[in-house]
């Protein structure tokens, strides 16, 4: 273990700072030094998602963001400095890291539900500086190390993959089951990859975008349909994994499930979304679960699936920008272009 910071050599570090909704700047400051128990990571790539767009637009719940902030919670990179008490062998390792700064000692953390920590919300890229920067500093205990030859461009998507892993694990897919995925965005297409590995009898993807459903078929979906067409499929599926977070998709996902079926809600819904019919829920005896972020176990699952080649996130990336073009990158996300998949910043 090191007694003080080890590594480094850089003279300056750039970062995007969102001062307040709608206002950002690119700043250069001293390279951050990792404190005791921390590492500094040289960022290779960082994904821009709808949560980042919400931060920029000022639409994220005030309890889950702290301005000014450097966003960036989906990222990959290489450890280039370690703080006191951290094993110097981590230097040079390719890695990703959990975003939630869980306390590790509350009842939820001790149960393994680190994404539900009762010690107060802290998350990289929302309340502490994130990875839309040359460097990011994180607690070493949150690292998930990658293979020495890991594709860091693809690995930047392991944060959403961990969320999907949490949803799939909650859904408990079994071989031969009929499964539907509602939504073919980043979460939905990653879900298709993981669910296809469970040998389903059917794997149907519901999304209005033809380009996305074609990609879902490449990843293992056996059938696709639009939301309108899915009305003919009500009551068909053993498991429904909702990933879209659209106003009607929680309710429509429950309609797709068979009696006694299972529904997992993964999308982040906004106020005013259509509610689930309690009468339908009761008579159909559905099991409904939601997912908020990913606990440590889901991160471990996602990284293992990535290393084994079950998860191949790289084809989901459609756009890459340098930090200087952050404004263009964030504008693409949620802009409505069906050709926009995952957008990366490349410091």
């Amino acid at each position: 273990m090191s007694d003080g910071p080890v590594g480094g050599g850089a003279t300056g570090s750039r970062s995007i700072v969102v001062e307040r909704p709608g206002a950002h700047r690119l700043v250069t400051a001293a390279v951050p030094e990792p404190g005791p128990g921390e590492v500094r990571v040289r960022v290779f790539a960082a994904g821009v998602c709808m949560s980042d767009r919400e931060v920029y637009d000022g639409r994220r719940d005030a309890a889950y963001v702290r301005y000014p902030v450097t966003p960036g919670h989906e990222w990959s990179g290489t450890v280039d400095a370690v703080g006191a008490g951290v094993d110097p062998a981590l230097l040079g390792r390719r890695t990703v890291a959990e975003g939630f700064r869980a306390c590790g000692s509350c009842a939820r953390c001790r149960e393994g539900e680190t994404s539900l920590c009762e010690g107060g919300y802290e998350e990289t890229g929302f309340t502490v500086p994130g990875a839309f920067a040359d460097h990011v500093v994180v607690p070493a205990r949150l690292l998930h190390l990658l293979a020495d030859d890991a594709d860091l461009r693809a690995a930047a998507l392991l944060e959403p993959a961990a969320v999907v892993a949490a949803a799939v694990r909650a859904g408990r897919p079994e071989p031969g089951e009929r499964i539907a995925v509602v939504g073919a965005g980043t979460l939905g297409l990653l879900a298709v990859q993981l669910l296809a590995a469970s040998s389903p009898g059917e794997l149907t993807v519901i999304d209005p975008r033809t380009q996305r459903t074609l990609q879902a078929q490449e990843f293992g979906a056996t059938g696709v349909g639009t939301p309108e067409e899915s009305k003919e499929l009500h009551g068909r599926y053993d498991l429904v994994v909702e990933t879209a977070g659209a106003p009607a998709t929680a309710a429509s996902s429950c309609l797709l499930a068979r009696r006694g079926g299972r529904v997992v809600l993964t999308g982040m819904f906004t106020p005013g979304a259509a509610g689930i019919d309690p009468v339908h829920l009761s008579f159909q005896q559905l099991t409904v679960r939601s997912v908020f972020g990913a606990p440590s176990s889901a991160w471990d699952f996602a990284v293992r699936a990535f290393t084994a080649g079950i998860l191949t996130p790289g084809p989901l990336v459609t756009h890459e920008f340098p930090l200087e073009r952050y404004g263009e990158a964030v504008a693409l996300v949620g802009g409505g272009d069906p050709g926009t998949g995952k957008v990366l910043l490349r410091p």
Side-chain angles (χ1 to χ4, degrees), residues 42-106:
R42 181 65 170 89
V43 178
F44 182 88
V48 186
C49 83
M50 276 302 298
S51 295
D52 299 307
R53 178 67 186 263
E54 290 170 359
V55 167
Y56 189 74
D57 290 345
R59 293 184 287 109
R60 187 169 174 86
D61 188 307
Y64 296 96
V65 64
R66 190 179 301 141
Y67 298 99
V69 64
T70 294
H73 61 286
E74 307 177 0
W75 57 267
S76 64
T78 303
V79 177
D80 77 345
V82 300
V86 179
D87 188 350
L90 290 175
L91 288 169
R93 291 298 305 272
R94 300 185 182 199
T95 193
V96 292
E98 298 174 36
F100 287 117
R101 306 290 181 96
C103 73
S105 59
C106 71

Side-chain angles (χ1 to χ4, degrees), residues 15 23 41-42 57 74 76 79 84 110 124 128 140 148 151 157 162 166 168 179 188 213 219 246 254 257 264 280 315:
S15 61
V41 177
R42 181 65 170 89
D57 290 345
E74 307 177 0
S76 64
V79 177
R110 290 172 67 85
T124 301
V128 293
D148 291 341
D151 179 355
L157 278 70
V168 170
I179 301 176
T213 54
F219 290 150
C254 290
V264 183
H280 177 81

